[in-house]
Amino acid sequence: NAGVTQTPKFQVLKTGQSMTLQCAQDMNHNSMYWYRQDPGMGLRLIYYSASEGTTDKGEVPNGYNVSRLNKREFSLRLESAAPSQTSVYFCASSEAPGIYGYTFGSGTRLTVV
Amino acid sequence: GENVEQHPSTLSVQEGDSAVIKCTYSDSASNYFPWYKQELGKRPQLIIDIRSNVGEKKDQRIAVTLNKTAKHFSLHITETQPEDSAVYFCAAGGNKLVFGAGTILRVKS
């Protein structure tokens, strides 16, 4: 039982490059989330998926897209990376939001130069 | 939308003392209030949570209180130990969570 798995763990991109961050959970959770963490700003919600087939914007969606590929997988795509997207990205999932908390992945540290 | 404010941003205590971290939220529809602990370079881990129909919850040395009328909730850690040193985040919401900016807790031995 791996929980929430994120790949890659580290990535350096040049401005304008694109990439996809992968997230998979093996807990049969319906809800999945992408957050970014910046110093002094806590965790900010980028996008979330309440269930397979649905996605919604969070607090900071600009510059990102998501795909809920199936119940297990929720990917985050940066189409044209900018230095402002340098951050640590966390994927999370929940069995029942509002009843149970999130289980977080180990994070992806992204640097855009 | 929801807005969560967390205080203090840093907190230093002597080993064995108590630590209190406070959060306020803005959306009266929020019904779930978890607290997460994050050690350096690690993922956030849930340490305790409380739902809007409960005023207080305790788990060994940690407790959380909720005042729905005032829209604030607090984390209390008693008999602090060096391994309690970490960043603590509060959050509020329902089907999605909004997080506070975090509190760096340092426990001095």
Side-chain angles (χ1 to χ4, degrees), chain A residues 11-71:
Chain A
Q11 183 72 47
V12 178
L13 288 180
K14 293 182 178 179
T15 298
Q17 286 186 317
S18 63
M19 78 162 296
T20 300
L21 281 65
Q22 307 286 354
C23 175
Q25 51 89 11
D26 61 1
M27 298 172 286
N28 202 36
H29 287 174
N30 284 317
S31 300
M32 298 185 73
Y33 307 84
W34 277 105
Y35 283 85
R36 60 177 288 174
Q37 184 174 34
D38 302 294
M41 300 186 76
L43 294 132
R44 291 182 293 167
L45 182 63
I46 305 171
Y47 271 94
Y48 68 104
S49 172
S51 61
E52 186 179 354
T54 68
T55 60
D56 285 288
K57 295 178 180 179
E59 304 163 76
V60 288
N62 291 346
Y64 305 94
N65 284 300
V66 290
S67 295
R68 183 74 183 265
L69 305 171
N70 47 55
K71 191 171 186 179

Side-chain angles (χ1 to χ4, degrees), chain B residues 9-82:
Chain B
S9 56
T10 60
L11 179 59
S12 290
V13 300
Q14 204 66 35
E15 182 178 0
D17 287 351
S18 295
V20 180
I21 303 170
K22 298 181 179 182
C23 289
T24 60
Y25 63 100
S26 61
D27 190 347
S28 57
S30 289
N31 59 6
Y32 179 66
F33 308 89
W35 287 86
Y36 288 83
K37 175 184 181 181
Q38 186 179 31
E39 297 175 346
L40 190 62
K42 301 287 184 65
R43 73 192 77 191
Q45 300 263 18
L46 179 69
I47 55 171
I48 196 168
D49 58 10
I50 193 167
R51 296 176 187 84
S52 59
N53 59 345
V54 176
E56 185 172 357
K57 183 177 178 180
K58 189 174 182 180
D59 183 4
Q60 299 183 333
R61 294 188 299 110
I62 60 174
V64 59
T65 59
L66 171 65
N67 183 327
K68 284 177 56 181
T69 303
K71 295 198 187 74
H72 65 72
F73 56 113
S74 301
L75 177 71
H76 304 253
I77 306 174
T78 58
E79 300 172 21
T80 53
Q81 301 167 2

